[in-house]
Amino acid sequence: MNTSDANNTPQCYSLKSPPFNYTRPISSAYFSTIFSTLGITSNLIAFIVLVKSFRRMRNRSRSFFLIFLAGLVVTDFMGLLVTGSIVVSFHFTRFNWRQVDPNCHFCNFMGMSMVFYGLCPLLLSATMAMERFCGINRPFARSTNMSKSRTVYMVLMVWLAAGCIALLPLIGIGSYHIQAPGSWCFFNISSKGSDMVFSLLFSFVGLTSIVVSFLLNTVSVVTLIKVCCGQDRTQRSRDHEVEMMVQLILIMIIASISWCPLLVFIAQTVFSSDPLWVRKLLLYLRFATCNQILDPWVYILFRRAVFKRVYPRFDWSRSSIMTLYPYFQETARRFTRSSLGGNLGSDETGETTKSNVTSPSTLKSPD
């Protein structure tokens, strides 16, 4: 009889079966409600601000960046709405998963949502870093090949890639299971079989996205400092590029702090073959949730328009900041010289040589 029941048990309940023993520190209805409400509200505000900014935007590169930001905001909003509504409803109703979802369809859906909405922000951050890298380092090639429709396609491709990864457990690569305290479903973190493959794949994709973002953003920042600190006063304004890079770096930092503990914990659990530490998993998952809450505030707060309202007397343009802080300008020049192999020094020498050449038209003929 027991063998027959085990064979008939759906896969998502094969390792853990509800009901679980509830403890307040790890299953708080108020905590889930506050996090979900705050995140949904923040992303909704950010989306409204993005739409208004996009309508007023005339800068092409800035409009492309806003499309990526909109994709990130929509992803975070939907992730909190889908997963948060399930978790909060469970805490208030304490429904029985075995009765509500006897065939694991609902559990599989939530597991897919956790994976999809978890990987999307990381993949989008890496894609945004790649777009900024091309925009700053290869502006002419990018201006001819990039369009708003292609930017939208890139966002859709990121969603498609994350969706394909989330579907893998449904075809046998990994498996989704109910997780303690019984309010959510996630893939089984294990060092055995296909569960190990999917756990490492999830961790690898997330960590690789963070590393790619860090490398590309570092190169972009160095190049941008080189251009902004150059002595060519006729160069076009880079204020929008600086603003975008500041926002992108903050998004990268938030994603790294929020997701690295969970991604490293998953890989460490798989390689060590130790039993899953549930409390740590829940703690790191809450860290990851902070990413979806903090992301929208990067764009809401870190804009020149906001800074101008807070301190309207100060000129927040790049040239004004460079003039106000000449020590920073000289330090940035030294840094870019050492980082870029003296290219900046040669450029400045060329500019100085050009400025010393007197134009023939200005020479007076001898009397």
Side-chain angles (χ1 to χ4, degrees):
M1 182 70 177
N2 292 335
T3 305
S4 177
D5 291 341
N7 293 333
N8 293 329
T9 300
Q11 186 180 35
C12 64
Y13 306 124
S14 59
L15 299 179
K16 305 179 185 71
S17 183
F20 296 92
N21 293 324
Y22 302 101
T23 55
R24 279 292 173 186
I26 64 173
S27 58
S28 172
Y30 300 105
F31 183 88
S32 302
T33 304
I34 292 173
F35 258 52
S36 300
T37 304
L38 180 61
I40 291 173
T41 304
S42 301
N43 282 280
L44 187 60
I45 294 173
F47 185 77
I48 295 174
V49 174
L50 278 170
V51 171
K52 291 182 178 180
S53 299
F54 188 81
R55 290 177 177 176
R56 297 193 301 264
M57 186 53 56
R58 296 294 180 267
N59 185 282
R60 288 191 64 197
S61 61
R62 181 64 176 167
S63 64
F64 298 152
F65 188 76
L66 290 180
I67 293 175
F68 283 112
L69 276 178
L72 182 62
V73 168
V74 170
T75 302
D76 290 339
F77 175 83
M78 291 302 300
L80 288 168
L81 182 64
V82 172
T83 59
S85 58
I86 298 174
V87 173
V88 171
S89 62
F90 170 82
H91 282 303
F92 281 103
T93 63
R94 298 292 173 87
F95 60 82
N96 191 323
W97 280 83
R98 295 294 294 267
Q99 295 178 357
V100 174
D101 185 31
N103 297 317
C104 289
H105 298 313
F106 192 49
C107 185
N108 288 334
F109 170 75
M110 184 174 187
M112 289 172 55
S113 300
M114 295 287 290
V115 172
F116 176 80
Y117 293 115
L119 289 180
C120 272
L122 300 177
L123 293 173
L124 279 172
S125 297
T127 307
M128 291 164 68
M130 191 179 305
E131 188 273 338
R132 281 290 79 216
F133 174 83
C134 296
I136 294 174
N137 293 274
R138 300 289 184 269
F140 297 107
R142 175 185 168 279
S143 61
T144 56
N145 297 327
M146 202 69 172
S147 62
K148 291 182 181 179
S149 60
R150 183 165 295 185
T151 307
V152 174
Y153 291 150
M154 291 176 66
V155 175
L156 294 177
M157 289 301 297
V158 169
W159 288 345
L160 179 62
C164 291
I165 295 175
L167 288 172
L168 289 178
L170 300 186
I171 61 175
I173 304 176
S175 56
Y176 292 121
H177 292 266
I178 188 75
Q179 304 288 335
S183 59
W184 61 298
C185 290
F186 201 49
F187 62 86
N188 183 35
I189 303 173
S190 172
S191 59
K192 298 179 181 178
S194 62
D195 289 332
M196 177 189 70
V197 175
F198 188 79
S199 299
L200 292 178
L201 176 64
F202 181 85
S203 180
F204 174 78
V205 172
L207 291 174
T208 302
S209 300
I210 293 174
V211 171
V212 169
S213 299
F214 176 79
L215 294 177
L216 294 180
N217 287 335
T218 301
V219 176
S220 298
V221 167
V222 172
T223 306
L224 193 58
I225 292 175
K226 173 188 173 182
V227 174
C228 290
C229 296
Q231 292 183 347
D232 184 7
R233 299 183 179 276
T234 62
Q235 63 183 348
R236 65 188 182 87
S237 175
R238 292 277 177 165
D239 293 339
H240 285 298
E241 282 84 349
V242 173
E243 181 179 334
M244 287 187 284
M245 282 308 307
V246 169
Q247 293 172 353
L248 187 54
I249 289 173
L250 289 174
I251 290 173
M252 179 194 68
I253 293 174
I254 292 172
S256 302
I257 296 175
S258 302
W259 276 99
C260 277
L262 178 62
L263 297 173
V264 172
F265 171 75
I266 292 173
Q268 184 179 7
T269 303
V270 171
F271 286 124
S272 64
S273 301
D274 293 335
L276 181 65
W277 197 340
V278 177
R279 286 185 178 273
K280 274 193 173 182
L281 176 62
L282 290 172
L283 175 63
Y284 295 150
L285 189 69
R286 286 175 176 175
F287 266 94
T289 306
C290 292
N291 180 55
Q292 297 173 309
I293 299 174
L294 296 177
D295 269 348
W297 289 103
V298 170
Y299 183 73
I300 294 174
L301 298 179
F302 292 90
R303 295 178 297 134
R304 284 184 303 142
V306 175
F307 293 152
K308 288 178 180 178
R309 290 184 180 181
V310 174
Y311 195 11
R313 295 182 179 181
F314 184 72
D315 184 5
W316 290 97
S317 65
R318 183 260 311 165
S319 58
S320 174
I321 294 175
M322 288 298 180
T323 305
L324 187 62
Y325 298 102
Y327 174 76
F328 171 77
Q329 186 174 11
E330 181 63 26
T331 303
R333 285 180 184 171
R334 293 176 181 176
F335 174 71
T336 50
R337 286 195 191 103
S338 60
S339 300
L340 299 176
N343 290 337
L344 181 57
S346 61
D347 292 342
E348 291 175 352
T349 304
E351 291 296 329
T352 305
T353 304
K354 291 179 182 178
S355 61
N356 292 332
V357 176
T358 307
S359 175
S361 60
T362 61
L363 295 177
K364 294 182 179 180
S365 58
D367 295 333

